[in-house]
Amino acid sequence: MSSSGVPLRLLLLTCVASTVSGVLKLTVAPDRGTVLNISSSQVKGCNVCTGAGSSRQCRPSLVIKDGPPVSMEFECSRPQDVFSVEIVRSIECTTKLCNGHIILAASDSLPLLDFNRKFTWNLKASAPKALKIDFGPSGMRQIDPSERCPDRQRYTLQAFQTTGRVTVGKYCRAGPVGTAQVPNQGSFSLDVPAGQKLPNGRFDVSVGEEIKTLAKITLMLPKGTSSSELLSPNYPDSFPDDDVMEWYFQVPDNQKTAIQFLNLTQPLCLKKDTAMEYHGIARRGTVRSLKETQPEDMQGKFGLRLRNCEMDGRRAGSPGLALKLRVSSSRARSTVSCKVDMSRMEGLTLHIERVRPASDCQMKMNSVPKEKITVTSKGDLTFQDCFPEDVHVTAMRVIECHRLKDCSKTPARLSVPVLPTCLPAPLSSVTWTLRPPPHGTVELTSPTEPLKQALPGQRCNSSLLIKVAEDDGTTIGHFCPQGAIQKVQIHTNMSVTVSGVEGRALRTPLKHVLNALFKGEISERYIFTVSPRKGAPVLLATPGWPVGMKSYSTVSWIVSVPPKMDAHLMFANLSQPKCSNRHTNIKVQRVGSPEEEYSRREDEEAESQLAVSGNFYLNMSNCMPERGAFSVITEVSLRKNPLLTVILSVVAALLVLFVAVLVVVCVVIKKKKKKLSHQVSIYNPNGTSFLPGQNGFPKTREDNESHVYASIEDTLVYTDLLRKGAEMGVYGEFDSHQPFTGHTDSQKPLVSGDGDADDLPVGTYQQFQAPPLPIRPLSHGQPMVDNVLYQTDGEEEPSPSLGPRLEPEGGN
């Protein structure tokens, strides 16, 4: 980009062409900074003329710079066969940035389309930095000067030295040459034959390195077998005297590179010797004479420098230095032997499959060639030229039980094995297939920390991802550690697959991932036990999300709510189908309560959010969809119970009021006592007389002044307090005392998130227990009944009952 931020095109012409009596006339206006050179290839012949009358000038060549439009005409009928056009632009680079890019535009020079055109960019860099040209992802391919490009458009790179111009190389589009750097000054040009438009494209120009060679060319060798030819500068003419040319090769991993001379002409040297220098990233340089055999098995990236001597040019016919070389790259041949013992890996079977048929990878097991290898116990494996991208390594195990009474009472450990490092690729995934007995359930728990679903907004911070799916491949959900899901129960054959996040391999051994246990039948197809934490909202998605739940399937989330907290539910991403049979339903029911506090079908408007106190379960069931799918994401977050704040406020107000009343009572009593302070004699029927000046009455319970209120009546003291208490529902009528009977959590109504918390009754927290799911018919192996929870007396202990479940009005 230019300093003005506008792309710098090589030429922006305003041209008007006309032909009168066979004479071509043009009016051109070169863009700022552009020079137009029109020259003839003939010594005598057609001229190009400018001006008119006495100022008319005709010459075999013409140079037009930016300025006012210039009109010209050619004296011959076909000037395109005689003249060629060169369009020149300059790009300068300071030590930090350049003032332009090399931009190719098909619209440039269209009025001159019938002429052979040459587009030239003069390049200049500020010392000590070089100027760098990036040829983009397609790159360039160096060719012999006598060779033509397939599209007939040829590029030329030159370096300007004090001794003259040196052609670094000629190139065609598409090849391994990625970048080129020249110090001081140089040029880059493109020759386009007559009749061809300039191709659209752009080459970035930037400040390069500090180089001390004639030029530096960087090549990106492709993966696999490849071959490229390179030529010394000025080839087939001599390379400059006592100069150095540099190439740098980016080589893919696990590949070797060979250098071979195809054509070599050596000079007569006065000083120094011609040589080839090899420089690696982590190894010392190697110098070889041009007469020696060059390396054939170099590994990794390397640099190559062709060094010329001080040639003897005094002898007639003395040859210079000219070299054509071939750079060949191929995969390094390697054979690795590997012994694998799976007998101690908890019943896992190892599977290795070659996934790239075009690769050179060859696998053998016990000396027998294999495309797929399966190791159940022990095996001697051999891998030749096998790399991580060539093979896929997985491990599998089947865990099943045919009768519940015979199933192990100890959970099976789902652990990722540690495989030998001699395998060509790390373990990609581990899959356990779990097959419970008839009317059985698979129960999954994490041995370390609860799980969470991998959903939007629930990013997995660990390096593993757990996929849970049914035996037919239907995905139940993706999970990872550090969540709130304590337990997952699934009422069908299923599988658990552990892999790295974003498709990465399991490079770090993850010893113990899950526990799996076969238990008695559950009432739902899926049950999740969830324990949210304050300040960490939990996202719960229906099985199969976002595809949707299976027809007639049911799912329940058992949610525990800590004391003094409320659970706020928000239904996001709710998708409802059109049902052909039965209805979908979303229900919320508190533990210990026989009533459904919330229930909505697909044909009813659902609440956007709810609040519930106490432990509860959330149940969802699907219909037989006619079109669409049933899927929901529920966000559960914990907040402080607003009723607790109300209760504390009321108690605090009553305490303040009670203290105020006591103060009033004490003041009144004190004033009354002052009025009775004059000395009198008092008759006591018990026979004791008290004379004035005595220190008061003897303190007996009957005569104690603590129960004497002088002339103050009780109603005058407590009336206001009792009235406020009655308004709050704490006290009954003023003339009778009633004990406080608060509500329990199981009596608290479910409230909308938009409701007034002050209207909620006071309650107490009950210890969480599994929800007593209602007794219903079995669901395993047959379609689920709409909006019904199921439970049977299996060999496991039954859950406490919530009582009969009621269907909403209008249900099936």
Side-chain angles (χ1 to χ4, degrees):
M1 301 296 288
S2 67
S3 58
S4 62
V6 179
L8 293 174
R9 293 181 181 273
L10 180 63
L11 177 68
L12 184 59
L13 290 176
T14 304
C15 299
V16 179
S18 63
T19 303
V20 179
S21 301
V23 177
L24 178 64
K25 295 183 178 181
L26 292 173
T27 300
V28 297
D31 187 20
R32 182 179 179 182
T34 302
V35 178
L36 181 65
N37 293 322
I38 302 175
S39 59
S40 174
S41 59
Q42 300 179 3
V43 177
K44 292 182 180 181
C46 184
N47 290 326
V48 57
C49 302
T50 59
S54 59
S55 62
R56 180 180 175 85
Q57 294 182 351
C58 295
R59 58 184 71 88
S61 63
L62 178 64
V63 177
I64 303 175
K65 298 182 179 180
D66 59 300
V70 177
S71 297
M72 56 184 169
E73 64 179 27
F74 298 89
E75 292 183 328
C76 48
S77 59
R78 289 192 55 81
Q80 58 268 26
D81 297 335
V82 179
F83 287 90
S84 61
V85 178
E86 182 181 17
I87 305 166
V88 183
R89 183 80 186 184
S90 297
I91 297 178
E92 294 187 8
C93 292
T94 65
T95 56
K96 293 184 179 181
L97 53 87
C98 301
N99 68 345
H101 294 291
I102 297 174
I103 298 178
L104 310 177
S107 60
D108 280 353
S109 71
L110 284 180
L112 302 171
L113 187 63
D114 293 334
F115 292 83
N116 291 323
R117 288 149 295 149
K118 183 176 184 179
F119 296 84
T120 300
W121 292 264
N122 288 326
L123 311 172
K124 185 177 181 181
S126 298
K129 298 290 186 179
L131 186 142
K132 179 179 179 181
I133 305 175
D134 189 340
F135 298 120
S138 61
M140 293 282 187
R141 174 175 61 91
Q142 188 172 11
I143 60 172
D144 189 285
S146 60
E147 184 180 349
R148 294 178 64 181
C149 295
D151 58 3
R152 299 174 59 201
Q153 298 180 2
R154 188 169 62 177
Y155 297 83
T156 303
L157 177 64
Q158 291 186 326
F160 298 168
Q161 294 190 326
T162 55
T163 55
R165 297 191 177 195
V166 178
T167 299
V168 176
K170 293 183 178 294
Y171 306 90
C172 298
R173 294 297 298 265
V177 178
T179 62
Q181 297 185 73
V182 291
N184 302 323
Q185 296 186 62
S187 70
F188 183 69
S189 61
L190 167 62
D191 291 291
V192 181
Q196 285 194 8
K197 293 182 179 180
L198 185 68
N200 288 318
R202 163 173 161 159
F203 300 137
D204 290 334
V205 179
S206 60
V207 178
E209 309 170 21
E210 295 183 19
I211 61 174
K212 299 180 180 180
T213 57
L214 174 69
K216 181 178 181 179
I217 306 297
T218 300
L219 293 91
M220 312 289 291
L221 301 186
K223 290 184 178 181
T225 303
S226 65
S227 178
S228 303
E229 292 185 1
L230 300 174
L231 302 110
S232 58
N234 280 340
Y235 187 89
D237 296 331
S238 176
F239 183 47
D241 190 72
D242 195 19
D243 213 335
V244 180
M245 176 65 192
E246 182 178 7
W247 295 274
Y248 180 73
F249 299 90
Q250 294 274 6
V251 184
D253 294 336
N254 304 312
Q255 287 197 188
K256 62 179 181 179
T257 307
I259 303 296
Q260 179 185 6
F261 291 166
L262 301 180
N263 190 10
L264 173 63
T265 300
Q266 291 231 61
L268 298 175
C269 297
L270 294 176
K271 295 181 180 179
K272 303 180 183 179
D273 292 312
T274 59
M276 191 69 80
E277 300 178 4
Y278 296 88
H279 300 272
I281 298 297
R283 59 179 180 268
R284 298 178 61 184
T286 300
V287 179
R288 293 199 180 188
S289 168
L290 299 184
K291 298 179 181 180
E292 295 182 76
T293 302
Q294 304 302 307
E296 296 182 352
D297 58 353
M298 291 183 294
Q299 300 284 333
K301 307 171 184 178
F302 69 97
L304 181 63
R305 290 183 179 180
L306 174 61
R307 189 178 67 197
N308 198 6
C309 64
E310 184 179 330
M311 298 183 294
D312 185 0
R314 295 171 297 181
R315 301 183 188 180
S318 175
L321 174 61
L323 174 64
K324 177 188 286 188
L325 58 89
R326 175 179 293 145
V327 180
S328 302
S329 180
S330 61
R331 288 190 177 275
R333 306 294 293 183
S334 63
T335 301
V336 177
S337 298
C338 192
K339 293 183 179 293
V340 178
D341 184 1
M342 300 296 294
S343 59
R344 298 181 180 180
M345 296 190 182
E346 299 181 337
L348 287 168
T349 300
L350 183 66
H351 298 270
I352 305 174
E353 181 179 1
R354 194 162 73 99
V355 294
R356 295 181 68 246
S359 70
D360 298 328
C361 174
Q362 297 180 5
M363 305 189 305
K364 294 181 181 180
M365 180 175 178
N366 300 328
S367 302
V368 179
K370 298 280 187 179
E371 288 292 316
K372 298 180 180 180
I373 293 177
T374 300
V375 183
T376 56
S377 56
K378 296 181 180 181
D380 292 332
L381 311 182
T382 303
F383 303 95
Q384 181 173 298
D385 293 340
C386 295
F387 300 97
E389 62 270 21
D390 297 332
V391 297
H392 189 61
V393 182
T394 59
M396 299 181 183
R397 180 188 176 187
V398 176
I399 304 175
E400 59 184 345
C401 179
H402 299 288
R403 294 191 304 175
L404 188 59
K405 66 179 182 179
D406 298 331
C407 297
S408 173
K409 304 302 179 184
T410 303
R413 292 166 53 95
L414 308 187
S415 303
V416 176
V418 179
L419 298 179
T421 57
C422 53
L423 294 175
L427 186 63
S428 177
S429 64
V430 185
T431 299
W432 294 269
T433 300
L434 302 166
R435 298 171 182 163
H439 306 293
T441 299
V442 180
E443 181 178 285
L444 301 175
T445 56
S446 174
T448 54
E449 51 190 347
L451 304 175
K452 70 177 177 182
Q453 286 187 267
L455 296 168
Q458 296 285 294
R459 182 180 178 183
C460 293
N461 296 324
S462 67
S463 59
L464 68 89
L465 187 67
I466 303 170
K467 177 184 177 182
V468 180
E470 297 194 25
D471 56 349
D472 62 357
T474 302
T475 300
I476 298 173
H478 292 84
F479 305 87
C480 55
Q482 303 178 4
I485 301 175
Q486 303 281 353
K487 182 167 56 178
V488 180
Q489 295 169 286
I490 300 170
H491 194 208
T492 182
N493 293 341
M494 47 82 69
S495 65
V496 175
T497 300
V498 176
S499 62
V501 295
E502 299 179 353
R504 292 193 291 266
L506 294 167
R507 297 185 181 273
T508 303
L510 307 162
K511 299 180 181 178
H512 192 181
V513 180
L514 290 175
N515 289 325
L517 185 64
F518 294 141
K519 303 189 75 173
E521 187 171 25
I522 59 175
S523 57
E524 314 293 336
R525 191 176 186 88
Y526 321 98
I527 295 181
F528 300 85
T529 303
V530 185
S531 297
R533 293 184 303 235
K534 182 181 178 182
V538 179
L539 295 183
L540 304 173
T542 49
W545 189 90
V547 176
M549 291 178 61
K550 283 189 170 184
S551 301
Y552 300 127
S553 63
T554 61
V555 59
S556 283
W557 290 271
I558 304 172
V559 184
S560 62
V561 180
K564 303 178 183 179
M565 303 293 291
D566 279 354
H568 286 248
L569 281 64
M570 183 173 67
F571 300 118
N573 300 92
L574 173 59
S575 174
Q576 291 279 17
K578 180 180 180 182
C579 296
S580 62
N581 189 20
R582 303 178 187 166
H583 296 282
T584 69
N585 212 324
I586 302 175
K587 300 180 181 181
V588 176
Q589 187 172 352
R590 269 187 298 234
V591 174
S593 173
E595 298 179 359
E596 293 172 355
E597 303 291 349
Y598 176 84
S599 179
R600 291 293 186 276
R601 307 189 319 190
E602 85 285 348
D603 55 358
E604 298 174 331
E605 184 177 356
E607 296 281 350
S608 60
Q609 53 184 328
L610 304 170
V612 58
S613 58
N615 307 319
F616 67 95
Y617 71 84
L618 170 66
N619 173 265
M620 297 186 189
S621 57
N622 196 12
C623 63
M624 170 61 75
E626 178 180 332
R627 65 173 180 269
F630 179 52
S631 62
V632 189
I633 293 182
T634 306
E635 179 181 294
V636 180
S637 57
L638 297 180
R639 303 177 188 174
K640 287 186 178 181
N641 192 326
L643 288 178
L644 180 63
T645 304
V646 174
I647 293 172
L648 293 177
S649 301
V650 171
V651 171
L654 292 178
L655 288 176
V656 171
L657 188 58
F658 184 68
V659 171
V661 170
L662 290 180
V663 171
V664 172
V665 171
C666 293
V667 170
V668 172
I669 292 175
K670 187 173 182 181
K671 289 182 178 180
K672 189 67 175 179
K673 290 177 66 178
K674 286 182 178 181
K675 292 180 181 180
L676 299 176
S677 61
H678 54 279
Q679 296 182 357
V680 295
S681 63
I682 301 176
Y683 170 74
N684 186 0
N686 292 330
T688 305
S689 298
F690 299 95
L691 299 177
Q694 289 182 330
N695 293 330
F697 299 98
K699 303 300 181 180
T700 64
R701 176 63 187 90
E702 294 80 2
D703 301 328
N704 195 312
E705 68 232 24
S706 62
H707 67 286
V708 178
Y709 298 95
S711 60
I712 302 176
E713 296 185 9
D714 292 349
T715 55
L716 298 179
V717 178
Y718 296 105
T719 295
D720 186 59
L721 174 61
L722 295 175
R723 182 180 298 111
K724 292 183 179 292
E727 291 175 357
M728 297 178 184
V730 178
Y731 299 106
E733 297 297 331
F734 296 167
D735 58 351
S736 63
H737 170 71
Q738 296 180 359
F740 169 72
T741 56
H743 296 273
T744 64
D745 267 8
S746 62
Q747 295 171 310
K748 285 185 182 180
L750 188 69
V751 296
S752 171
D754 301 328
D756 187 358
D758 293 338
D759 296 332
L760 296 176
V762 178
T764 57
Y765 174 75
Q766 294 181 347
Q767 185 67 28
F768 174 67
Q769 57 183 338
L773 302 179
I775 298 176
R776 295 184 295 180
L778 295 179
S779 61
H780 188 60
Q782 60 183 356
M784 299 293 179
V785 178
D786 177 53
N787 304 332
V788 179
L789 295 176
Y790 297 91
Q791 180 171 331
T792 60
D793 293 329
E795 299 186 30
E796 299 293 319
E797 61 277 16
S799 301
S801 176
L802 279 175
R805 250 185 108 139
L806 302 178
E807 291 294 337
E809 294 184 5
N812 291 327

